[in-house]
Amino acid sequence: MFATDHTYAMETLLRDPQLPAELRQIVEQVLTDQRISPAQGLLLYEQASLAFVGTLANYIREKQHGHRTYFNRNFHIEPTNLCVYDCKFCSYSRLIKQRNDPSAWQYTMEEMLDIVKSYDDQPVTEVHIVGGVLPQYDLQFYLEFFRRIKSHRPALHIKALTPVEYHYIFKKAKVSYEEGMRLVAEAGCDSLPGGGAEIFHPEIRQQIAADKCTGEQWLRIHEIWHNLGRRSNATMLYGHIERFEHRIDHMEQLRQLQDKTGGFQTFIPLKFRNHDNQMSHIAESTPVEDLRNYAIARIYLDNFDHIKAYWPMIGREVAQMALAFGVDDIDGTIDDTTKIYSMAGAEEQSPALSTRELANLIKAVGRRPIERDTLYNIIQDYTDHVFPEDEVFKGYLALPVV
Ligand code: V47
Ligand code: SF4
């Protein structure tokens, strides 16, 4: 018998005489911590079954994190859904010319500070700020906003804006990326979320997000941020017009930058949702493809510590399944404060989960719920915690948690 279930599953794969030599080679590389090549990544997308990639990804996940599954307590502020850009997949933005549309909003700084204050009595650790791009939300506006959040609640981690906004506001303010990112850090921004990455390859980016920052600019801004000693996330919008080779190219560029800086914390694959946008004619990926994609990301990105499934986007059930396919993080107890996905047709129309619900969702698939802060410092292990409301469900929750 082998030491752990996940190694046993890998050994079982190797005992299969039918296993093609190229896949056997990948199993052996993963078992000996050897990175797989872009060609091998492509082979996984083109030929490997869900069960195969799932076994490898779960092996890596359990070796790194055991059953630990991370979440945090956060809330979102989306300053506006008006945007100067016109990404074809975006269901959320309203072009500036539609500013009188009843579904358009534009918060003032005071209104956004009121949102921050409305969480004063709650134990949230992070505010995630991202939205549309508008000229009036310029560099000075955001610097002041960050300073005011910090002066109101110094311990609240600000995870704010993507290279899409930074490229635009730095250009307008006529400052270099280096100078701009230094000012942003000084004003109180703590980390960058992973948005705006979409698909880096110009062949696809030109068709879906032609007018915003390029893949190269996205990567450069994260690199500068990492060189300031700061951390960030990375996303990939998949399941639209890209081909597998574009996904591999995207992950390869992230892997190379991570080798240089080590500044990425988490990779978040974002499933394209087709409701009410200019790409509505494109069918969405199936849950099997979504799980295969998480698993291949876990195998490919050997220098990323975490793979996150963003539950408001894929729904609670697929998020639970993803925990067996390489995912070790399911984001936060967001509080119905994001519109990005509900407007794109995601399962969760009013995404809100209490800490109790999130912890129980994780326990119900035999994993350990761990509340973390943005930088993955552990705040509380909920494995043995029984919430008062759960007394009646004890039997159901008593699943094998190691
Ligand atoms: O960049 C927009 C995506 C992203 C659609 O860093 C869509 O912790 C699918 O990056 N279908 C923004 N996706 C959100 C984001 C994020 C989310 C959660 C956690 C973190 C993190 C980052 O949303 C955009 C774009 O790729 N998006 N429209 C759509 N129709
Ligand atoms: Fe604007 Fe972002 Fe939507 Fe693109 S994805 S149109 S940059 S809000």
Side-chain angles (χ1 to χ4, degrees), residues 80-93 95 131-133 164 198 209 211-212:
T80 180
N81 67 342
L82 292 168
C83 190
V84 297
Y85 297 125
D86 184 24
C87 303
K88 304 293 174 241
F89 54 82
C90 184
S91 321
Y92 159 88
S93 80
L95 292 172
V133 179
V164 176
E198 324 312 358
D211 47 0
K212 68 185 187 189

Side-chain angles (χ1 to χ4, degrees), residues 83-90 93 133 162-164 167 195-218 237 240-242 250 272 278-279 282:
C83 190
V84 297
Y85 297 125
D86 184 24
C87 303
K88 304 293 174 241
F89 54 82
C90 184
S93 80
V133 179
T162 73
V164 176
H167 170 78
E198 324 312 358
I199 287 285
F200 295 142
H201 198 291
E203 187 188 332
I204 300 301
R205 202 171 181 87
Q206 271 302 316
Q207 295 179 64
I208 64 170
D211 47 0
K212 68 185 187 189
C213 76
T214 63
E216 230 169 72
Q217 289 163 336
W218 190 100
L237 180 72
H240 43 89
I241 58 168
E242 91 289 358
H250 190 92
F272 164 67
Q278 297 171 66
M279 290 162 69
I282 296 171

Side-chain angles (χ1 to χ4, degrees), residues 17 59 112 122 143 166 235 260 336 378 383 385:
Y59 167 80
M112 294 197 285
Q122 294 189 41
L143 295 180
Y166 287 126
T235 58
K260 260 168 101 176
D336 199 9
I378 293 179
T383 311
H385 185 92

